[in-house]
Amino acid sequence: MVIGNPVIFQCTVTHKEGNVIWSKDGVDLSHDVTITNGNQQYSIIGNSSLGEYNLHIDDITENEGGVYECRVTAADNSPEIRAPPVTLTVEQPQSFLEEPVDTIVVEFETVILNCSIQDKHGVVSWQTKDKVLSNDMTIVSNDSRLSIVSRLPGIEYNLQIQMVSLDDMVDYFCHVSQSDNGDVAIQSQQAFLTVYDAATQNFSVLPSDVNMVIRNPVIFQCTVTHKEGNVIWSKDGVDLGRDQSQSAFLTVYDAATQNFSVEPSDVNMVIGNPVIFQCRHYHQWQSAILYHRKFKPWRIQFAYR
């Protein structure tokens, strides 16, 4: 029985003549319906007129673990009788050692979500909002990509998903059911699985060097396919803005063509000096800046009309 729960041991006597006595580890606890050891966790319940002398223990702790026995003392022509002893084993409530956490994975890879339980008494199941995926080590969902993997049997119940797809991008949680020994159900925190598509971002249109007469407008084009990070224009190594944010240079985005262009709106230049602009990705999920390997910064050269 789990700590904090009540327990009842039954003892019914027919043709009672002596006294009914409950004992724990050989030490008497009661005399008929009276508790004699002063512990208020113990009480005798039942209908004594029907010979019921059941031992009730409330809010058990580890101290209540032990061997209990019900006996009836000898009286008149009846000898002493003893019921077979019973053992109360007190257990800790089930709890999580490790819960699943938000995870990022690329499409078609394999991912493992962790769930470890201490003092497990119920059934462990992996679930999403709409589905039950497993019961203990058995996958109950009709998905051959799923399996339960464990290095510590009875403790680890990790969910493995092979060939991850974009459809797997949902919340997952680990649930342990209530049990016959009085343990309550527990549920882990939810973990969101983020899946990035396998296609990587790339430049499909690159800016090119331009020679332009002073005070004329100019547009540099930069087109990105499978965009995942931020598109950043820079001038002489100084960032001008991300995606569609504005500075002295207006960044224009065409959703139909996935084109990011920059239009200088207020440029102060020394005639004859070049200006260097760059367009780059900021690949957020890897926290790394990606440059097109074949791409070189381009220059705008101002000249008199």
Side-chain angles (χ1 to χ4, degrees), residues 250-270:
L250 176 63
T251 303
V252 181
Y253 174 61
D254 186 338
T257 62
Q258 301 184 33
N259 183 70
F260 288 80
S261 59
V262 64
E263 300 179 3
S265 59
D266 184 16
V267 183
N268 253 340
M269 292 301 304
V270 176

Side-chain angles (χ1 to χ4, degrees), residues 47-279:
N47 190 339
S48 59
S49 64
L50 299 177
E52 297 173 351
Y53 293 85
N54 303 325
L55 177 64
H56 177 270
I57 311 173
D58 191 33
D59 193 20
I60 63 171
T61 67
E62 291 180 341
N63 293 332
E64 278 66 66
V67 177
Y68 291 81
E69 185 183 55
C70 178
R71 74 178 190 274
V72 185
T73 60
D76 296 338
N77 64 338
S78 296
E80 181 181 80
I81 56 174
R82 293 174 178 264
V86 292
T87 300
L88 174 59
T89 301
V90 181
E91 300 176 315
Q92 295 290 332
Q94 56 195 6
S95 60
F96 287 106
L97 291 172
E98 184 177 8
E99 300 184 43
V101 296
D102 293 346
T103 303
I104 297 173
V105 67
V106 177
E107 190 179 17
F108 308 128
E109 292 184 347
T110 296
V111 66
I112 295 177
L113 302 176
N114 295 328
C115 180
S116 298
I117 298 96
Q118 180 172 282
D119 299 307
K120 172 187 174 293
H121 304 125
V123 176
V124 179
S125 62
W126 276 96
Q127 300 181 26
T128 64
K129 179 181 178 181
D130 303 319
K131 296 179 181 178
V132 175
L133 305 178
S134 67
N135 282 330
D136 282 342
M137 299 298 293
T138 303
I139 296 296
V140 297
S141 172
N142 186 25
D143 190 337
S144 61
R145 301 175 304 128
L146 306 183
S147 61
I148 303 299
V149 296
S150 175
R151 296 167 299 174
L152 299 172
I155 297 177
E156 286 187 352
Y157 295 83
N158 304 324
L159 176 64
Q160 177 175 271
I161 308 174
Q162 296 178 314
M163 291 293 291
V164 172
S165 72
L166 297 176
D167 292 335
D168 297 320
M169 194 158 52
V170 295
D171 283 309
Y172 296 81
F173 61 90
C174 190
H175 178 273
V176 188
S177 67
Q178 64 183 20
S179 60
D180 294 337
N181 66 350
D183 213 346
V184 297
I186 56 174
Q187 181 173 304
S188 74
Q189 64 188 9
Q190 294 193 357
F192 188 76
L193 182 61
T194 300
V195 182
Y196 287 108
D197 58 57
T200 58
Q201 59 189 7
N202 200 4
F203 289 110
S204 58
V205 175
L206 296 174
S208 58
D209 293 346
V210 175
N211 288 324
M212 183 61 63
V213 175
I214 195 168
R215 292 192 177 87
N216 277 283
V218 63
I219 296 178
F220 293 118
Q221 291 189 331
C222 179
T223 302
V224 182
T225 57
H226 305 294
K227 176 182 176 293
E228 294 173 344
N230 295 317
V231 174
I232 302 175
W233 279 95
S234 64
K235 169 185 172 290
D236 295 333
V238 179
D239 291 349
L240 305 178
R242 294 187 179 186
D243 287 351
Q244 299 180 61
S245 62
Q246 296 187 24
S247 61
F249 294 77
L250 176 63
T251 303
V252 181
Y253 174 61
D254 186 338
T257 62
Q258 301 184 33
N259 183 70
F260 288 80
S261 59
V262 64
E263 300 179 3
S265 59
D266 184 16
V267 183
N268 253 340
M269 292 301 304
V270 176
I271 296 174
N273 287 345
V275 182
I276 300 175
F277 293 87
Q278 283 186 328
C279 176

